[in-house]
Amino acid sequence: MEIIIQPDSQQASQIAARIVAKIVKEKPDAVLGFATGNTPLQLYKNLARMHREEGLDFGRVTTFNLDEYVGIPPVHPSSLHSYMWAHLFSQINIPRERINIPDSLATDIPALCRQYEQAIRSAGGIDAQVLGIGTNGHLGFNEPSSSLYSRTRIKTLTEETRLNNAAAFGGHDNVPLHVITMGLGTILDSRLCLLMAFGKKKAKAIALSAEGPVTAAVPGTVLQLHPRAIIILDKEAASELKMADYYTWVYEHKPSWQKY
Ligand code: F6R
């Protein structure tokens, strides 16, 4: 794991954007995995700006989103479809048919999940998966106790996650109970995992995920098993890491060819 600590979320998101942009420039038909929520908003803003001002080309890129709420129509303002169109897809030149988000209205959910996994495989696997983390350590919507080898499936949200997402639905009671999410095994198959976390309320989940024992009780710990996981944090999210000074020292002393 590589842990990068930045003074604020803006600088952290700029590094994340440079990493994603480099992948797209080196491999124009790259397959990107995207997350939703507050954390990647500045990353998406940066990618949209790079497309507008620097010609970053998404014309051959394919995307797979991590998750979607079950039963919420794609056009619903709180759906993760709507989020992605509002914050990224409407602002870059990605062809609609290259965008993949789990179908929230699927009648046969197990079949849909199998098709989603197959679609990822057929696209050649995910080159870079963008991730946020829940206050309870979830990745995607893999809540605590998710199998570390799980695949795309239906999950039931914890009350903690429903409370954290209440604002988007105008109240906790309106947050759906069920979601379709890539599994932790699906995420582990990505060639690069790019996790961002900002703010004091993520500090515990980050410390447990990066420095605690690998356990299904903290799904973020699965990244310790990944050959290339980059974790980009602001100071607050890094504040409970025991080895924070060491991570900063390593980052400052990276060989120049390895810098982002
Ligand atoms: C959303 C997702 C979730 C979020 C996590 C953090 O697609 O996969 O794991 O990344 O709940 O959410 P924010 O960024 O809103 O704190």
Side-chain angles (χ1 to χ4, degrees), residues 124-162:
I126 294 174
D127 291 298
Q129 175 65 57
V130 172
L131 296 164
I133 192 165
T135 51
N136 62 2
H138 73 211
L139 293 184
F141 279 133
N142 293 281
E143 300 284 38
S145 86
S146 290
S147 156
L148 300 181
Y149 290 123
S150 49
R151 311 304 305 188
T152 302
R153 69 213 183 291
I154 188 168
K155 284 294 285 180
T156 306
L157 293 179
T158 59
E159 283 303 281
E160 181 172 340
T161 300
R162 292 179 76 225

Side-chain angles (χ1 to χ4, degrees), residues 13 16-17 20 32-52 58 64-66 83-89 91-92 129-132 196:
S13 301
V20 174
L32 301 178
F34 285 136
T36 56
N38 290 320
T39 309
L41 286 174
Q42 296 176 78
L43 162 66
Y44 297 152
K45 229 178 225 167
N46 281 313
L47 291 177
R49 185 192 52 73
M50 287 168 153
H51 169 67
R52 219 172 34 246
F58 291 88
F64 287 90
N65 261 77
L66 279 170
Y83 169 105
M84 287 308 299
W85 280 94
H87 297 294
L88 186 63
F89 295 151
Q91 293 162 55
I92 59 175
Q129 175 65 57
V130 172
L131 296 164
M196 292 180 291

Side-chain angles (χ1 to χ4, degrees), residues 38-84:
N38 290 320
T39 309
L41 286 174
Q42 296 176 78
L43 162 66
Y44 297 152
K45 229 178 225 167
N46 281 313
L47 291 177
R49 185 192 52 73
M50 287 168 153
H51 169 67
R52 219 172 34 246
E53 294 174 7
E54 298 164 20
L56 185 63
D57 185 7
F58 291 88
R60 291 172 58 205
V61 164
T62 299
T63 64
F64 287 90
N65 261 77
L66 279 170
D67 37 30
E68 180 56 288
Y69 295 104
V70 170
I72 297 287
V75 293
H76 188 286
S78 308
S79 76
L80 303 184
H81 279 76
S82 294
Y83 169 105
M84 287 308 299

